[in-house]
Amino acid sequence: MTDSIERDEFFMREALAQAALAQARGEVPVGAVIVEDRGAIVARAHNLRELLDDPTAHAELLALRALSMDRKSWRLDDVTVYVTLEPCPMCAGALVNARVKRVVWGCDDPKAGAVRSLYSIGDDPRLNHRFACTSDILVEECSQILQRFFKALRDRKRRAP
């Protein structure tokens, strides 16, 4: 059990590094990494909605697209996706459609979370695929990077003329 927790924490730190890259670019700091069953990171991404002016440029979707293009296949049934924030409905749907094996996230998203908080898309028996879920991995670190980002954003708006 400890080995799987240590493994999850290791890969979540990699996702947090992606979140930090997003933050440095002025993006909401969400990062994702995709890991094959054998333990290799095969895709990394962070939010790019602002930079690309693309509402679909979430970390999870960008990582899924990169891996699918690399593999020349949309079926990603041998991977675990690590993401710092609980996936939204769009991303949870894409994770189902990609047939991912497992999704691991850091902190819940009470406003848009679609894996546990508001919906259970990854475990909905009406859909043609379900994925295993693990939550609360490095939850404090994942929460803090988002809280600091939004606090700084609010502070900037208050100081603006």
Side-chain angles (χ1 to χ4, degrees), residues 6-125:
E6 289 174 3
R7 175 185 166 106
D8 287 347
E9 288 178 352
F10 174 83
F11 291 120
M12 189 59 70
R13 283 188 185 85
E14 294 293 319
L16 278 163
Q18 288 296 309
L21 292 173
Q23 183 173 15
R25 299 177 96 169
E27 298 280 349
V28 174
V30 177
V33 297
I34 302 179
V35 179
E36 285 181 326
D37 285 347
R38 60 186 174 90
I41 294 176
V42 290
R44 303 169 191 263
H46 54 274
N47 276 4
L48 289 174
R49 287 190 316 172
E50 300 297 329
L51 187 66
L52 298 179
D53 291 322
D54 180 352
T56 70
H58 290 201
E60 305 96 302
L61 287 184
L62 295 171
L64 288 171
R65 285 181 191 142
L67 182 56
S68 293
M69 289 174 64
D70 184 57
R71 287 186 170 185
K72 295 179 179 30
S73 175
W74 59 268
R75 295 178 190 271
L76 304 176
D77 56 0
D78 65 336
V79 302
T80 297
V81 176
Y82 290 85
V83 60
T84 56
L85 180 65
E86 179 185 5
C88 71
M90 174 181 66
C91 293
L95 293 162
V96 167
N97 284 320
R99 311 293 197 267
V100 301
K101 182 184 280 188
R102 182 171 172 242
V103 176
V104 179
W105 70 92
C107 59
D108 288 347
D109 185 349
K111 293 183 178 181
V115 182
R116 175 169 72 184
S117 296
L118 299 177
Y119 307 101
S120 299
I121 291 174
D123 193 35
D124 191 323

